[in-house]
Amino acid sequence: MSNKAVVYVKPGEVEVRDIGYPDLVLRDGPGVNPLNVGRKCNHGVILKVITTNICGSDQHMVRGRTTAPSGLVLGHEITGEVVEVGSDVEFIEKGDIVSVPFNIACGRCVNCRKQDTHICLNVNPDRPGSAYGYVDMGGWVGGQSEYVMVPYADFQLLKFPDREQALDKILDLTMLSDIFPTGYHGAVSAGVKTGSTVYVAGAGPVGLAAAHSAQILGASVVIVGDLNEARLEQARSFGCETINLREHDNLGEQIEEILGVPEVDCAIDAVGFEASGHGKDAGEAPATVLNSIMDVTTAGGRLGIPGLYVTGDPGGVDKDAKEGTLKIRFGLGFAKAHIFVTGQTPVMRYNRDLMKAILSGRAQIAKAVNATLIPIDEAPDGYKKFDGGVSRKFVIDPHGMVKNRVAASASAQAR
């Protein structure tokens, strides 16, 4: 059986290839750690992918800003239907519609038992933590495909309680695999609570998810800063204040115009290592966001940092940046007694509660991030548009299930 998938070819280029139907073994391939080759996964399942999203983290690889090998199958944001169940799977059944946390986690190690599924000790021989279709994460095959194998199914998979309801809400529910929990984790890590004033650096999909999460958590004012006016317009569409950092290089002054004071209670970095300086002629300056959020966060405040930072960046602006060494004003953070929370998001800590918020109508995450459906053959074009700064969260519909359902619903309403 064929299995179309989105594959990284070289910097700036992805293509759709047939990678073959998966089985319950991790086979050798681009990026697969030799110690993971041949790993049997009778505890896993095969999913027919319903939706899989393009993520900003994928974009870092596609830009050539990591050590990702050519041929790597991309995609760690996966929602699907179970079509095959391993012999050791007890509670997940064929036909279940499930969300897949992007963290791959065994459920057995000491970190998984503490809900720190983002730093599982048993799935990546290189270091704690793993993900599908991502560089240096053990080589688990990505899910921007028609079918994908998911290990440790009983532990990892979030089963939706009602199939029809799930398919009706799929553009929201597809965000549970990464972007919504990641934005929410940024807000929780920053200490957002009722009445908080919050600054979110970055109006890409994760920044927008963080802003919406801050609203859900009760923030009184959410300010989003970015260099891209179209993305800022999207932030304003659901009630955020905004600052165009291309036009204004003094963040504190702009915050003071909004709040009356030049500081916020807490801040979220949703940009990461490809940050730019502020102002009209500014170029890449990877420590900009971290330094700026320390500057504008009140003493004793918290900084949530879901933005990605890497240990290897071939495209870094200097020798230090190439190894992830940044010129951070740590003394400023120390003087202001800031709390920093970094690292991948432990998706399983949040996804069930966020699912309930979606199903109840409390969360409108698809609207907040401007979810945009595309077929898998248009994924390369989606990557180019996303890299160009379009304010959309591209959702790949590899089998046309979502498109066909929307069309059938529209036809029924017209009759």
Side-chain angles (χ1 to χ4, degrees):
M1 186 183 295
S2 66
N3 183 20
K4 287 183 178 181
V6 182
V7 174
Y8 169 68
V9 179
K10 61 183 180 181
E13 183 178 338
V14 301
E15 66 182 31
V16 178
R17 297 178 181 172
D18 184 354
I19 62 168
Y21 191 78
D23 58 11
L24 296 173
V25 177
L26 182 53
R27 307 290 184 185
D28 197 8
V32 180
N33 189 298
L35 296 176
N36 261 352
V37 173
R39 190 164 176 164
K40 295 180 180 179
C41 297
N42 294 328
H43 43 65
V45 298
I46 306 297
L47 295 184
K48 179 181 180 180
V49 177
I50 298 174
T51 53
T52 176
N53 315 325
I54 297 177
C55 179
S57 298
D58 299 320
Q59 198 71 65
H60 293 308
M61 292 186 290
V62 173
R63 290 185 186 126
R65 299 300 297 268
T66 71
T67 56
S70 180
L72 184 75
V73 180
L74 299 168
H76 55 270
E77 301 190 14
I78 308 164
T79 306
E81 177 181 1
V82 178
V83 294
E84 183 179 335
V85 177
S87 59
D88 293 343
V89 176
E90 187 174 359
F91 303 111
I92 297 294
E93 301 176 346
K94 288 183 182 180
D96 287 346
I97 306 294
V98 296
S99 176
V100 183
F102 80 87
N103 323 110
I104 301 172
C106 71
R108 299 158 167 81
C109 71
V110 62
N111 287 344
C112 285
R113 290 174 184 270
K114 294 188 299 180
Q115 281 196 309
D116 290 334
T117 53
H118 57 310
I119 44 174
C120 175
L121 300 174
N122 291 329
V123 289
N124 182 1
D126 286 327
R127 62 177 65 89
S130 189
Y132 303 89
Y134 210 83
V135 59
D136 295 333
M137 287 290 186
W140 299 89
V141 179
Q144 285 175 14
S145 55
E146 293 178 300
Y147 298 91
V148 67
M149 188 268 282
V150 174
Y152 304 106
D154 278 332
F155 176 66
Q156 293 196 104
L157 295 182
L158 175 64
K159 177 182 173 180
F160 299 137
D162 181 270
R163 178 187 179 91
E164 294 305 309
Q165 184 188 34
L167 292 173
D168 285 342
K169 294 262 191 180
I170 198 67
L171 286 181
D172 290 288
L173 294 172
T174 190
M175 306 303 167
L176 290 173
S177 56
D178 179 359
I179 177 177
F180 197 8
T182 293
Y184 192 82
H185 179 60
V188 169
S189 299
V192 178
K193 63 184 188 301
T194 301
S196 294
T197 57
V198 185
Y199 175 67
V200 180
V206 168
L208 296 171
H212 186 44
S213 297
Q215 292 173 333
I216 291 171
L217 288 166
S220 60
V221 182
V222 179
I223 305 169
V224 180
D226 201 283
L227 306 166
N228 183 321
E229 183 57 32
R231 290 183 167 183
L232 292 173
E233 183 179 353
Q234 180 63 26
R236 289 192 292 271
S237 75
F238 59 96
C240 299
E241 300 287 342
T242 61
I243 299 171
N244 188 322
L245 297 168
R246 184 71 71 196
E247 299 175 358
H248 305 284
D249 58 7
N250 191 313
L251 179 59
E253 285 183 358
Q254 297 306 306
I255 289 176
E256 187 170 18
E257 285 194 12
I258 296 168
L259 298 178
V261 293
E263 290 185 324
V264 291
D265 297 323
C266 44
I268 302 165
D269 172 5
V271 177
F273 73 103
E274 285 194 71
S276 172
H278 301 166
K280 291 185 184 300
D281 301 318
E284 186 169 320
T288 297
V289 172
L290 292 172
N291 287 329
S292 65
I293 62 176
M294 284 189 284
D295 188 46
V296 301
T297 301
T298 191
R302 297 172 64 99
L303 311 177
I305 309 173
L308 178 67
Y309 289 87
V310 295
T311 56
D313 173 13
V317 294
D318 54 35
K319 181 178 180 294
D320 287 338
K322 290 180 190 295
E323 63 177 24
T325 300
L326 308 182
K327 295 179 180 179
I328 299 170
R329 296 183 62 197
F330 191 73
L332 175 60
F334 181 89
K336 297 178 81 172
H338 284 155
I339 295 173
F340 298 72
V341 181
T342 68
Q344 288 186 32
T345 297
V347 170
M348 293 179 67
R349 196 178 296 175
Y350 308 109
N351 62 353
R352 187 173 299 278
D353 288 340
L354 294 177
M355 174 189 72
K356 291 188 287 186
I358 288 170
L359 295 179
S360 70
R362 177 78 174 92
Q364 303 287 332
I365 187 64
K367 179 182 177 182
V369 302
N370 196 14
T372 304
L373 202 67
I374 60 172
I376 194 168
D377 290 334
E378 292 182 14
D381 185 57
Y383 269 95
K384 289 179 181 177
K385 289 178 178 176
F386 189 27
D387 191 43
V390 67
S391 187
R392 297 180 183 180
K393 175 67 171 177
F394 286 107
V395 177
I396 299 171
D397 181 12
H399 296 276
M401 289 178 66
V402 183
K403 178 183 177 181
N404 292 340
R405 185 177 181 88
V406 171
S409 177
S411 177
Q413 290 176 6
R415 288 199 293 269

